[in-house]
Amino acid sequence: MKSQFLVFGKLIVILSLAALLAPVSLASAAGPAFESSLVCGGCHEATHRNWNASLHALSFTNPIFQTAYQKAYTETGGEAKKYCLRCHAPTVQVTGDYDAKLAITREGVTCDFCHTIVSVDLKNREKPFVSEPGKVKRSVLKDATSPHHQTKYSADFASSKLCAGCHAFDNRHGVSVGNTYNEWLGSPYAKEGKQCQSCHMKEIPGATANEGGRNTIHDHSLSHNIASMNDAVVVTIKQFQRTSDRLGVKVMVTNDRAGHSIPTGTPERRLVLEVRSHDASGAVLEVHKREYHKTIVDADGNVVSSDGDVFLNGVKIVSDNRLGPKESREESVVFSQKTGRIDSVSADVYFSYQALVTGKTEMRIPVFNTRTKTTQ
Ligand code: HEC
Ligand code: HEC
Ligand code: HEC
Ligand code: HEC
Ligand code: HEC
């Protein structure tokens, strides 16, 4: 990845000059252009509505990406566009529109990019997909006919490989900053043959096409989906010791339902466990916290704490205590009884994102909560 950046340093200058001189539609002269999701949505209304709510649809325009991208762009004198956009606006791989002048670029991970993928080669880390925009749209239906395009069955669409091209990434120093695919490869789910799609693109009611379609679609709303996160982590509390001044509990935290580590993806994500003691009225007496995350440092040993820095400046993973797929971790927590008589203990698990938009903003997404009465 490092060499890619260095090599592109020179290339970019030439390319961006060419872009200034040439008309914007340079790419379409070379072959058929990608079609807008709005065209697809004319017939695939249910899927379009579904995708429109996904982070794939927002992968270029969302303010969290834009903030990090602008920082990376400035710090690298523009080189970052070659690196970031190949996943966040993947049509640029074919159109060469690295300055985002075409509307299709701003559609992010759009219908026609995925559905014209003809092959996936994960060994080619910089360009794993070959996407050939044109009349043939591929996916998992074996006998589909459409008035607008040709169709072709492709087994890749039912495989994690299709996701891996973007959901496994090293930064420019070769540090594995996000590697959902490899976490999954080593999991029991991969051995059972359960792919990313088995959990993230379930069959839901809806017409594949307004006319002549069937009545279930695969869910395209890939995002921070609260429903899929609920109970992804399960927590149980066991009391183990009570003395006149202390109460000890054991808390078991299990990654019950994610096919990869929790949290996965960019290291900005933290999973937080909060264990609290309460008195008989329910008031909180004491709080203990545990955090599960991956910590990456820069060349000076400082923790890098924004997505942009992680991609640009992270040189080493110094710790990683995330919960692996199906892993259970036991945490011991000791409460003092001096703060008041403990009547119950509760635990919450939530995701905390320190997203950098204009300043740091914390977002919390609840995952699990439980409360148990203590015994005398
Ligand atoms: C004029 C209507 C129409 C338009 C526009 C249209 N499609 Fe389709 N498409 C269909 C119909 C009908 C089917 C067949 C559905 C079925 O058999 O259940 C289909 C099937 C598909 C399939 C399944 C292919 C397979 O073999 O698995 C894909 C993928 C697809 N379309 C993608 C797209 C994309 C991407 C666009 C926009 C670039 C698009 N379609 C635009 C009508 C349309
Ligand atoms: C062309 C690249 C690309 C492909 C292929 C791709 N993704 Fe993504 N995906 C992204 C990007 C980029 C984002 C982040 C969007 C953002 O938040 O800015 C994302 C976001 C997501 C999210 C939401 C993550 C979150 O932070 O909540 C899920 C879930 C997801 N993808 C699953 C999948 C699955 C499953 C597949 C395979 C069927 C897949 N993706 C294929 C690029 C891709
Ligand atoms: C990240 C890549 C990706 C994007 C973006 C994407 N799809 Fe799909 N699509 C898939 C995959 C993967 C499947 C098969 C899922 C499975 O087998 O579990 C699929 C299946 C389909 C099918 C076959 C019917 C079905 O639901 O299984 C149609 C039609 C379709 N997509 C249309 C669209 C349209 C229209 C858009 C944009 C509004 C879109 N897709 C965006 C990856 C994508
Ligand atoms: C056994 C089911 C299962 C499988 C298989 C699975 N996932 Fe997940 N995934 C989940 C659950 C549950 C969550 C929510 C918990 C979390 O965010 O870690 C999740 C979360 C995610 C997120 C982060 C969403 C967020 O908001 O933080 C991404 C990205 C993702 N999965 C991508 C993938 C990819 C890519 C694959 C295949 C390589 C995959 N998943 C395989 C169940 C699964
Ligand atoms: C190999 C593909 C890939 C490359 C290259 C890549 N990203 Fe991402 N990025 C993703 C995926 C996939 C996600 C969402 C899921 C996750 O966290 O794994 C994501 C998530 C993000 C997020 C979090 C967005 C949110 O909605 O929370 C930011 C910010 C981000 N990327 C910025 C960048 C920047 C800046 C660059 C270039 C320096 C870059 N990315 C390069 C694939 C990529």
Side-chain angles (χ1 to χ4, degrees):
M1 209 51 64
K2 189 174 190 170
S3 60
Q4 181 205 6
F5 245 87
L6 296 175
V7 171
F8 281 138
K10 284 259 181 313
L11 269 179
I12 291 265
V13 181
I14 301 160
L15 281 176
S16 47
L17 272 178
L20 285 176
L21 301 172
V24 171
S25 58
L26 212 166
S28 52
F34 284 109
E35 292 178 273
S36 164
S37 59
L38 293 171
V39 174
C40 319
C43 295
H44 299 288
E45 212 180 308
T47 306
H48 182 265
R49 210 177 312 117
N50 204 225
W51 167 84
N52 216 21
S54 76
L55 277 174
H56 283 158
L58 296 172
S59 61
F60 179 72
T61 51
N62 91 68
I64 301 179
F65 171 71
Q66 280 296 330
T67 306
Y69 180 54
Q70 263 139 41
K71 186 166 187 277
Y73 189 96
T74 313
E75 277 184 28
T76 58
E79 282 175 61
K81 64 184 173 183
K82 276 280 178 181
Y83 176 63
C84 309
L85 298 192
R86 83 181 157 88
C87 299
H88 284 266
T91 52
V92 300
Q93 294 178 25
V94 177
T95 63
D97 180 36
Y98 287 96
D99 294 316
K101 295 204 163 86
L102 300 172
I104 194 78
T105 305
R106 293 189 289 274
E107 287 190 18
V109 184
T110 190
C111 319
D112 218 20
F113 176 78
C114 286
H115 286 293
T116 59
I117 292 175
V118 298
S119 64
V120 187
D121 174 11
L122 297 179
K123 283 192 216 89
N124 187 345
R125 301 290 297 256
E126 272 135 51
K127 199 175 182 295
F129 298 119
V130 175
S131 180
E132 286 177 0
K135 272 291 162 211
V136 186
K137 313 297 179 200
R138 291 156 205 260
S139 91
V140 292
L141 306 181
K142 285 193 170 128
D143 50 357
T145 53
S146 157
H148 182 71
H149 53 76
Q150 291 157 33
T151 62
K152 196 165 167 79
Y153 170 80
S154 160
D156 288 345
F157 283 78
S159 153
S160 293
K161 257 170 74 178
L162 193 91
C163 319
C166 296
H167 286 269
F169 45 93
D170 295 348
N171 71 3
R172 60 170 173 169
H173 302 290
V175 178
S176 163
V177 291
N179 218 334
T180 308
Y181 176 69
N182 288 292
E183 292 161 11
W184 168 82
L185 259 188
S187 77
Y189 302 101
K191 285 177 198 92
E192 284 167 27
K194 256 199 170 178
Q195 312 293 313
C196 314
Q197 289 89 330
S198 325
C199 298
H200 286 281
M201 294 188 80
K202 292 212 164 88
E203 273 194 59
I204 55 169
T208 51
N210 295 358
E211 276 172 55
R214 43 211 98 192
N215 53 21
T216 57
I217 54 171
H218 285 99
D219 191 348
H220 279 63
S221 65
L222 299 149
S223 63
H224 310 290
N225 187 332
I226 309 289
S228 75
M229 286 187 184
N230 277 342
D231 302 348
V233 180
V234 171
V235 182
T236 54
I237 305 172
K238 264 195 305 194
Q239 181 177 333
F240 71 90
Q241 184 202 42
R242 183 165 212 148
T243 64
S244 56
D245 61 345
R246 295 194 321 165
L247 175 80
V249 294
K250 287 213 154 80
V251 183
M252 190 68 94
V253 194
T254 306
N255 173 352
D256 203 39
R257 283 187 26 210
H260 35 72
S261 298
I262 291 187
T264 189
T266 62
E268 275 304 271
R269 295 174 188 171
R270 287 158 183 266
L271 184 78
V272 184
L273 166 71
E274 239 178 63
V275 192
R276 295 178 228 88
S277 58
H278 302 265
D279 66 14
S281 77
V284 176
L285 297 170
E286 200 181 325
V287 185
H288 288 265
K289 275 193 191 184
R290 298 279 190 283
E291 295 198 341
Y292 306 95
H293 61 101
K294 177 153 86 174
T295 305
I296 296 181
V297 295
D298 64 17
D300 299 326
N302 299 317
V303 173
V304 284
S305 60
S306 74
D307 291 304
D309 277 348
V310 161
F311 280 107
L312 294 174
N313 305 323
V315 297
K316 200 172 154 199
I317 298 171
V318 287
S319 68
D320 182 359
N321 68 342
R322 296 172 304 151
L323 298 166
K326 285 284 171 202
E327 183 184 347
S328 285
R329 196 87 53 80
E330 190 179 87
E331 303 285 1
S332 300
V333 176
V334 178
F335 293 105
S336 162
Q337 298 246 51
K338 291 194 184 115
T339 46
R341 181 80 196 157
I342 299 170
D343 175 71
S344 65
V345 172
S346 68
D348 264 297
V349 180
Y350 57 87
F351 285 106
S352 162
Y353 296 77
Q354 298 278 341
L356 193 69
V357 184
T358 42
K360 275 217 181 235
T361 359
E362 189 196 29
M363 288 183 277
R364 285 191 182 188
I365 300 178
V367 179
F368 194 88
N369 73 72
T370 179
R371 181 154 162 188
T372 321
K373 230 164 150 58
T374 57
T375 54
Q376 294 309 304

